[in-house]
Amino acid sequence: MLFMCHQMAMKKEAEQKLKAEELRRAQGAATDIPIIWILGGPGCGKGTQCAKIVEKYGFTHLSSGDLLRNEVASGSDKGRKLQAIMASGGLVSNEEVLSLLNDAIVRSKGNSKGFLIDGYPREKNQGVEFEIRVAPADLALYFDCSEETMLKRIMARAAAAAVQRADDNEKTIRQRLKTFKNNTNDILELYNEKTLTINAERDVDDIFLEVCQAIDCVLKKKAKQVAAQC
Ligand code: AP5
């Protein structure tokens, strides 16, 4: 029985990989500008590194968390439901998140130099859906950080904030860490080939040096792809 379950899981995984691969081939260079997923646990420094990337490369930064918080701030019924999920440290449905991301991408497509998709995918089906409905990602940057460091960083951020985020309290942070831990290995496995793991325990600028090397490499690859189409 256990063996059968394992085989079924392996089969499903192989099908997903194939689906993603077929899509990648079918879509080719779906966009001329880079699409970069920014992965890592709560407080690992995703937003901090994105701000530096935007400053240096002028990319468009789309944070799934910020898009959701904007919806919450609108005071809509939908926003109230999202708030409850976020305050519990769980994941909002992908339908909601992907539709917010997709709308934001469509809005800025003509005048963007590249997209940073921060906090997405948070489970592997999100990645698969993104590549089907939006475009293949060129690179995933995974900021690897211990739970202890992440907890400390968020608690420090909360202590210093004029307005504290509703999910920046110890109980919710622990649940966010748990949600992250439950889903991340699957994502890293599925997207192993396009993921660069970066040690995020270091100084912000040291991390950024490594980030820049990876982005420069993607930009070169993209330029070659575009040239090949001419
Ligand atoms: P989201 O807003 O994405 O929050 P998060 O992933 O928990 O990450 P944070 O924004 O808290 O931290 P960060 O990694 O950006 O770190 P930062 O740079 O700020 O998501 C919130 C919620 O929305 C989720 O829990 C979920 O409910 C929902 N959601 C979001 N995306 C979803 C999705 N795809 N699907 C479903 N639901 C989704 O840094 C933290 C602190 O550390 C700062 O004070 C910073 O100054 C400091 N710091 C940063 N780097 C360093 C360093 N190298 N050394 C020392 N300090 C540092």
Side-chain angles (χ1 to χ4, degrees):
M1 182 69 184
L2 233 151
F3 179 68
M4 268 178 68
C5 286
H6 180 65
Q7 282 216 314
M8 277 167 69
M10 297 273 286
K11 192 172 166 228
K12 200 171 164 208
E13 185 140 315
E15 281 169 4
Q16 272 175 334
K17 271 192 179 165
L18 192 68
K19 201 169 160 191
E21 187 50 44
E22 275 170 0
L23 270 161
R24 229 169 281 139
R25 249 185 273 126
Q27 295 180 337
T31 56
D32 294 343
I33 56 171
I35 295 186
I36 302 175
W37 288 341
I38 307 293
L39 315 176
C44 69
K46 301 184 292 297
T48 303
Q49 291 299 321
C50 282
K52 292 180 75 69
I53 299 170
V54 170
E55 199 185 353
K56 177 163 177 171
Y57 295 94
F59 288 177
T60 307
H61 176 206
L62 299 176
S63 150
S64 52
D66 286 348
L67 290 170
L68 290 165
R69 277 185 288 277
N70 290 344
E71 189 66 44
V72 170
S74 76
S76 65
D77 276 353
K78 193 209 274 182
R80 269 188 288 279
K81 284 178 195 149
L82 296 177
Q83 166 82 334
I85 299 170
M86 291 164 81
S88 75
L91 292 184
V92 168
S93 85
N94 189 39
E95 209 41 51
E96 296 291 353
V97 186
L98 190 51
S99 128
L100 287 170
L101 277 174
N102 202 16
D103 290 352
I105 289 171
V106 169
R107 273 199 302 273
S108 5
K109 217 169 191 173
N111 47 23
S112 179
K113 294 180 178 169
F115 286 106
L116 300 172
I117 312 294
D118 170 3
Y120 191 100
R122 267 177 147 92
E123 46 100 17
K124 67 178 178 185
N125 286 329
Q126 289 196 351
V128 175
E129 285 294 313
F130 184 98
E131 295 201 313
I132 292 172
R133 286 168 52 183
V134 184
D138 297 286
L139 171 73
L141 293 176
Y142 169 55
F143 295 108
D144 189 20
C145 202
S146 69
E147 290 200 356
E148 194 191 352
T149 301
M150 292 193 276
L151 179 66
K152 264 194 211 149
R153 285 184 187 170
I154 301 186
M155 293 304 280
R157 178 178 68 188
V163 182
Q164 200 179 309
R165 259 169 60 169
D167 57 352
D168 274 1
N169 57 77
E170 188 165 346
K171 187 172 171 233
T172 311
I173 298 167
R174 290 203 183 276
Q175 189 51 51
R176 284 158 67 194
L177 287 167
K178 214 177 194 179
T179 305
F180 164 73
K181 203 173 166 188
N182 286 343
N183 293 305
T184 299
N185 283 345
D186 284 351
I187 299 175
L188 298 180
E189 229 170 77
L190 183 60
Y191 295 107
N192 174 38
E193 280 167 24
K194 61 170 78 176
T195 302
L196 176 71
T197 298
I198 294 180
N199 171 5
E201 295 275 347
R202 297 170 294 160
D203 179 79
V204 170
D205 291 330
D206 291 339
I207 298 169
F208 188 57
L209 273 180
E210 214 178 326
V211 166
C212 291
Q213 284 168 1
I215 293 181
D216 290 343
C217 186
V218 168
L219 286 172
K220 267 190 208 144
K221 241 192 241 169
K222 278 284 180 197
K224 272 191 195 156
Q225 278 173 7
V226 173
Q229 286 164 19
C230 297

